[in-house]
Amino acid sequence: MNRHLPFDPALTRRTALLAGSAAGIFAGSGAAFGQISFEDGQPGTLPGFAEDVLARMARWEAHGWKRGRVGDMRSRITLVYRTDPEKTRALLPPPFEVDPEALVYFNSLNILVPPGYDTVLAPGPDYGEVDLSVTCYYKGLRYQTSLPWILTRDFGRYAGREGAMLRKKDGFIHHDFEDGVATSYTVRQGRKMLVFEGRWLDEPAHPRAWYRERGNGELRVDMRLHADWTKGPFSDLPVELWRHFGSPEGEPTQMPPDTGDHARFPRRLDLKNTRFSLGDASPLDPYIDLPVLEMIDGSIGDSSQVGVAGYAVPRERGTGQERRGAGGGMREKIAELDPAEMAPFAFWCRAYDPPIFDNKVKVPAGWPDRGSAVAASPEALEGWKTRAAMRLSDADLLLVDFALDPTVYGRSLPPGTNPARPVLRMIGANVRVSDFATVPFTEIWLLTPCELDGSEVWYALSHIVSPDGDVLLGRETWGYPTKQAEILTIEPGADAISLRLRRLHREVAAGRISRTAASPASLDESFTVLGIQSLGVSDAGTRNARYVTQPWTVRIRTAERLPPAAIELGFPREASPSRIGRKDPWFEFDGASVTQSLFGSGEIARRPGAYASGPLGAEIRAASAERNDAPGGDDPHPSTFLIRSD
């Protein structure tokens, strides 16, 4: 199985930059050509897709787009259209009221990252977001609330979901320009959606159509699904309604007078030469439930132009701008919601995929022509609550156990646990049928045993999935350290099994396992996996986390036992290019000796979980850092599994 992002060919092609192309970017930096100097002195090479990005930037510049502070280029598209208010009724949870003049806001963002400035947040070649929100009423005020946001990069997804309640999900985004036409679309689990194509006019856009103009604000729901799904969809935490952003003065009402700034406004879309389609019907991301009746307005612009933050415009209750910053009322908790009433919308609240059963989603009869896929049906909720396990029910499984140096092993354990056995277990799976996605995917784990409250658990050090694998449910419900790979392949051949894992433009693991000396075997083993669940940001603004356990059973029915001498696995130490640093430090276990290896067809069953601790304090931050690619942002320093100093 070969699961990779659509830009993979550019990743693996190491092209040389022309000196003239790079000169402007690195002038005065003091860095040698082909290298970037990190603050800690560790070099990082230029990314292999550098030449492609520079060519794309040149094309954007030809369309009038300008570079930002560090040479980045940003493009923002917004389209406002009218939809059927009755269609919105089925997708709004109980406290929200239908807007009789319902509007939908489509937003598409793309950032081209100049070679040398690739970071964990925007590791290149670009960074994209696409979202769709609809207007509604709550206690007499008109707000917006969103359907899923599609986001191409892990770090922005962590930060947005776990720190700001954004409904961000994984997916591929196209956003580009060619011959005076802007194009955008997104693809997720094989479905192409939100397809935009349009031209623009040389005149300022009305502020109501500026990128992510939210009027009175955007309503978001903060909650967690229960680790033990037999207790219902919601966890023991409250279900809270929050208002984010928006302006105290409400929605824009008119164009501000031109005092010389109109030239800096986003440009108005030419609706006569704009086409927009909701695309394929997806029960995972049911944008199709908001049909386009009439395009109203739109804008397109770059980072050199004014926007909703920092520019005051005439609004319903006076002239004002969007709230910004913690002290500026950027977000506010406005209500606690009834979990029983919200149950059908539990998966909508944070844009989780609806319950999946063997690659399938239960949708209302007649959908998408009738009904809505946003609210889970009673049948789907009952199936979620009564399932015995969530399964990878048809998979090729590779299990490799390593003996670790006791000192390295001891330093890798999370706080509050005690050593058990100095063992590292790698489990890889080519998954064909599962309860986690509607399409096949590949995933790989690193686990190590320890004791928690007197019982042995296997601490999840690393979990990386191919595109289309689950990056939300396991991470936020059972605390797994889930991230998305650029390339993850486990390819069984007649004589050998090959493995490759690449993430953030660096090789994390690679190897070959010979099958020529294999012997028959089988495996049926149960154990409990330990995760660290982020609880988001509390009212006091502090991050909390807690331990969650989940029992697993791994069965390999027709297995091959592969002798240790047949296994060649390496965990490279190379850094990612530019300022990304060195995340996913599997290399800290390089040199560990293989004690057993099995490969064959089978299944993994994950049973209802349990909360294994109360909120953890500052001591958990070091363990949480690596799973969040911390320090992240512009910090290039490597992360580590070895968090204990004793």
Side-chain angles (χ1 to χ4, degrees):
M1 281 191 176
N2 191 348
R3 308 285 172 217
H4 55 76
L5 293 177
F7 55 77
D8 172 57
L11 293 177
T12 56
R13 184 173 63 252
R14 291 289 177 184
T15 54
L17 273 176
L18 298 175
S21 300
I25 296 176
F26 300 111
S29 69
F33 178 71
Q35 291 188 335
I36 307 301
S37 294
F38 286 174
E39 292 177 6
D40 63 358
Q42 181 189 41
T45 60
L46 290 175
F49 49 78
E51 190 172 13
D52 295 335
V53 171
L54 292 174
R56 198 169 166 194
M57 285 181 159
R59 190 167 70 249
W60 283 29
E61 284 182 310
H63 284 80
W65 264 239
K66 296 180 174 60
R67 294 179 184 250
R69 181 178 58 85
V70 298
D72 59 308
M73 301 190 76
R74 303 180 181 224
S75 175
R76 305 179 177 111
I77 300 170
T78 291
L79 175 68
V80 185
Y81 70 84
R82 185 169 59 84
T83 194
D84 182 353
E86 285 305 307
K87 292 286 285 186
T88 72
R89 188 180 304 278
L91 58 83
L92 293 174
F96 299 0
E97 299 172 1
V98 171
D99 178 2
E101 300 178 356
L103 297 178
V104 177
Y105 292 76
F106 161 76
N107 297 294
S108 178
L109 164 73
N110 203 16
I111 304 173
L112 298 184
V113 183
Y117 285 90
D118 308 276
T119 65
V120 168
L121 174 62
D126 58 6
Y127 172 98
E129 295 185 5
V130 166
D131 62 272
L132 204 70
S133 62
V134 61
T135 57
C136 60
Y137 276 84
Y138 177 75
K139 293 191 174 180
L141 271 185
R142 191 192 209 196
Y143 292 94
Q144 296 178 30
T145 193
S146 73
L147 273 70
W149 292 30
I150 305 300
L151 186 73
T152 55
R153 299 291 177 258
D154 277 338
F155 188 84
R157 196 180 311 118
Y158 311 150
R161 291 184 62 86
E162 297 170 25
M165 310 167 206
L166 284 166
R167 298 185 175 112
K168 291 184 173 181
K169 302 178 81 166
D170 55 294
F172 169 74
I173 292 171
H174 164 90
H175 181 131
D176 212 343
F177 298 91
E178 192 75 46
D179 298 328
V181 177
T183 56
S184 174
Y185 62 82
T186 185
V187 178
R188 186 168 186 271
Q189 295 203 21
R191 295 171 174 91
K192 184 177 180 180
M193 301 170 289
L194 304 181
V195 184
F196 171 91
E197 179 180 299
R199 297 180 181 271
W200 57 96
L201 303 168
D202 188 17
E203 59 185 67
H206 193 289
R208 68 184 176 187
W210 288 2
Y211 179 74
R212 286 189 182 152
E213 166 56 54
R214 298 174 177 91
N216 288 294
E218 180 188 341
L219 298 180
R220 302 176 189 169
V221 178
D222 196 25
M223 47 69 71
R224 291 292 186 277
L225 294 175
H226 208 297
D228 179 356
W229 56 76
T230 66
K231 299 183 184 300
F234 289 114
S235 76
D236 53 343
L237 301 175
V239 182
E240 299 174 341
L241 181 63
W242 289 68
R243 188 270 307 146
H244 285 244
F245 298 108
S247 171
E249 289 76 28
E251 297 182 349
T253 54
Q254 63 189 56
M255 181 77 75
D258 188 1
T259 58
D261 283 343
H262 279 199
R264 297 174 52 231
F265 283 12
R267 300 293 88 186
R268 185 181 179 189
L269 284 183
D270 180 359
L271 296 184
K272 293 181 180 179
N273 289 290
T274 294
R275 291 188 290 275
F276 181 70
S277 168
L278 296 167
D280 296 336
S282 170
L284 308 178
D285 309 292
Y287 304 118
I288 200 76
D289 289 355
L290 292 172
V292 181
L293 300 185
E294 178 188 10
M295 292 188 291
I296 301 296
D297 208 344
S299 70
I300 189 167
D302 64 19
S303 56
S304 70
Q305 296 165 332
V306 301
V308 298
Y311 195 88
V313 300
R315 295 178 179 269
E316 297 170 291
R317 298 181 291 277
T319 298
Q321 63 191 48
E322 185 174 74
R323 303 173 177 95
R324 285 281 160 169
M330 181 181 74
R331 61 185 175 203
E332 174 189 15
K333 185 171 73 174
I334 56 179
E336 286 200 10
L337 304 178
D338 181 352
E341 284 190 350
M342 290 293 293
F345 296 89
F347 298 88
W348 167 88
C349 286
R350 291 177 66 87
Y352 297 113
D353 287 338
I356 297 171
F357 305 88
D358 290 339
N359 290 13
K360 296 180 177 62
V361 176
K362 300 179 188 296
V363 297
W367 184 86
D369 296 326
R370 300 190 305 276
S372 170
V374 170
S377 67
E379 181 186 12
L381 287 175
E382 183 65 16
W384 172 264
K385 186 175 180 179
T386 58
R387 69 197 329 168
M390 296 189 69
R391 301 179 186 276
L392 312 179
S393 53
D394 181 8
D396 293 331
L397 299 178
L398 173 65
L399 183 147
V400 182
D401 282 347
F402 303 85
L404 288 179
D405 176 276
T407 301
V408 171
Y409 161 73
R411 292 187 61 197
S412 69
L413 303 182
T417 64
N418 296 313
R421 295 171 287 135
V423 172
L424 181 71
R425 171 165 289 181
M426 183 181 78
I427 301 177
N430 285 335
V431 183
R432 288 176 288 273
V433 179
S434 78
D435 297 333
F436 294 91
T438 60
V439 295
F441 63 93
T442 300
E443 68 173 17
I444 196 162
W445 295 80
L446 288 184
L447 307 169
T448 194
C450 57
E451 287 189 0
L452 179 68
D453 297 331
S455 298
E456 183 177 272
V457 294
W458 287 74
Y459 173 52
L461 284 160
S462 182
H463 176 219
I464 302 179
V465 302
S466 67
D468 293 333
D470 169 51
V471 294
L472 304 179
L473 184 64
R475 180 180 173 92
E476 296 183 8
T477 307
W478 298 284
Y480 295 140
T482 308
K483 303 176 183 179
Q484 190 174 80
E486 292 154 3
I487 301 173
L488 174 54
T489 59
I490 302 171
E491 296 184 342
D495 298 323
I497 302 161
S498 62
L499 181 148
R500 185 185 181 196
L501 170 58
R502 183 179 179 89
R503 183 173 179 272
L504 292 175
H505 315 314
R506 84 173 192 90
E507 301 297 323
V508 177
R512 181 181 183 276
I513 304 173
S514 173
R515 305 176 76 175
T516 57
S519 58
S522 63
L523 179 76
D524 190 336
E525 184 175 342
S526 296
F527 51 90
T528 297
V529 176
L530 175 67
I532 302 173
Q533 183 194 40
S534 168
L535 302 181
V537 181
S538 71
D539 291 347
T542 58
R543 287 187 177 275
N544 291 310
R546 63 180 169 186
Y547 286 138
V548 182
T549 56
Q550 187 179 32
W552 287 19
T553 298
V554 179
R555 296 188 181 93
I556 307 180
R557 294 180 290 272
T558 54
E560 303 172 29
R561 187 174 300 280
L562 307 165
I567 299 170
E568 300 175 2
L569 282 177
F571 304 145
R573 292 176 175 268
E574 67 172 0
S576 295
S578 305
R579 301 169 181 236
I580 299 171
R582 191 164 53 196
K583 312 302 180 184
D584 311 301
W586 289 34
F587 59 83
E588 293 179 328
F589 304 119
D590 198 28
S593 57
V594 176
T595 58
Q596 78 160 339
S597 180
L598 298 170
F599 177 78
S601 61
E603 70 166 7
I604 299 177
R606 302 174 190 164
R607 306 192 187 282
Y611 300 118
S613 76
L616 302 168
E619 71 275 8
I620 201 63
R621 290 177 185 169
S624 299
E626 195 286 324
R627 58 190 56 214
N628 293 327
D629 284 327
D634 291 332
D635 193 321
H637 296 287
S639 58
T640 182
F641 293 129
L642 308 182
I643 57 173
R644 287 193 179 184
S645 57
D646 52 349

